Amino acid sequence: MLLGLDSDFPGLVADVNVLGDGLVQLGTVRPEAAELLAELLMAGLRAERSGTTAESPSADLRETPAVGAAS
């Protein structure tokens, strides 16, 4: 994944076309990963409404380590 979230969404399955139409199944995710996804989606929508390009999220958005990371 572009944003390095593949470990947060191990069950991710997408069936979409180049226009983004289709279905994305997230599978089981941690609440923190779902919150991060919601923040990323909102940033993209805000950027789309303002006519600008969405910037990559800063590293501080990720407050918890990925599943399976050493504690």
Side-chain angles (χ1 to χ4, degrees):
M1 291 181 116
L2 179 64
L3 297 174
L5 301 174
D6 44 344
S7 62
D8 289 316
F9 301 98
L12 182 70
V13 178
D15 182 16
V16 296
N17 62 24
V18 294
L19 299 175
D21 298 325
L23 180 66
V24 175
Q25 298 176 5
L26 297 178
T28 303
V29 296
R30 296 176 299 114
E32 296 85 3
E35 184 177 353
L36 177 59
L37 178 60
E39 291 175 18
L40 292 169
L41 289 169
M42 290 304 299
L45 290 172
R46 282 191 299 271
E48 186 176 292
R49 287 187 71 183
S50 68
T52 61
T53 303
E55 296 180 15
S56 295
S58 62
D60 63 340
L61 282 178
R62 182 181 292 251
E63 296 176 5
T64 58
V67 173
S71 319

